Amino acid sequence: MEKKDKGRKRIVGLRLTAGEYGELEKNWKRSTIRKLSEYVRRLLFGQSFTVFTRDQSKDELLAEMALLRRELNAIGVNFNQAVHRLNMLDHSPQMREWVRRFEHDKERYFVAVESIQARLKMMSSAWLR
């Protein structure tokens, strides 16, 4: 019995301008296909493939949430340090200074939480349109 050779042995050369190649590469990178040659073959023969789509509003939400998370984390670290110092205090003047700093951090925390609520409300209303 003779084996059928299914290996690809034929080469098709194709010249593209820089702009054409850039467009081809951009579309290929948005797809789930790993190799450019496979992407071109599927395009050429009309075979289907999956393309990633991105929702810009979700990307913006993720960026905003990352910033807010960093801010809240910094405030949490400050609270943790303040409580640690409170446990080590044994003098009244130090206690007054801690309370003053605590009030400042508390105000920053509430402003950050209000900012989070306002941004989430704005983004959810934009998604509902």
Side-chain angles (χ1 to χ4, degrees), residues 11-119:
I11 296 174
V12 175
L14 178 65
R15 295 194 181 275
L16 302 172
T17 65
E20 291 170 336
Y21 185 79
E23 185 72 22
L24 177 69
E25 188 176 37
K26 180 182 78 169
N27 292 335
W28 163 55
K29 287 186 178 180
R30 287 191 324 190
S31 76
T32 58
I33 301 171
R34 292 183 178 220
K35 294 190 176 192
L36 180 59
S37 59
E38 179 65 23
Y39 176 76
V40 171
R41 270 193 296 279
R42 287 190 186 193
L43 276 178
L44 184 63
F45 297 120
Q47 297 173 340
S48 63
F49 53 87
T50 304
V51 176
F52 292 119
T53 56
R54 295 189 65 92
D55 185 349
Q56 186 177 3
S57 64
K58 287 181 184 177
D59 290 344
E60 291 170 0
L61 173 65
L62 289 175
E64 288 287 327
M65 295 305 289
L67 289 172
L68 294 171
R69 182 178 23 176
R70 269 187 255 138
E71 178 68 22
L72 288 176
N73 187 43
I75 293 169
V77 168
N78 288 345
F79 275 123
N80 189 28
Q81 291 173 348
V83 169
H84 181 70
R85 287 183 185 140
L86 176 64
N87 289 329
M88 296 174 63
L89 293 179
D90 58 351
H91 301 316
S92 180
Q94 289 178 334
M95 180 66 80
R96 282 191 215 112
E97 178 62 23
W98 180 84
V99 169
R100 186 188 65 75
R101 287 183 184 174
F102 174 79
E103 289 298 322
H104 178 264
D105 288 343
K106 184 175 76 171
E107 289 303 316
R108 278 184 54 213
Y109 173 75
F110 286 127
V111 167
V113 169
E114 287 176 18
S115 173
I116 291 169
Q117 290 173 341
R119 287 177 180 165

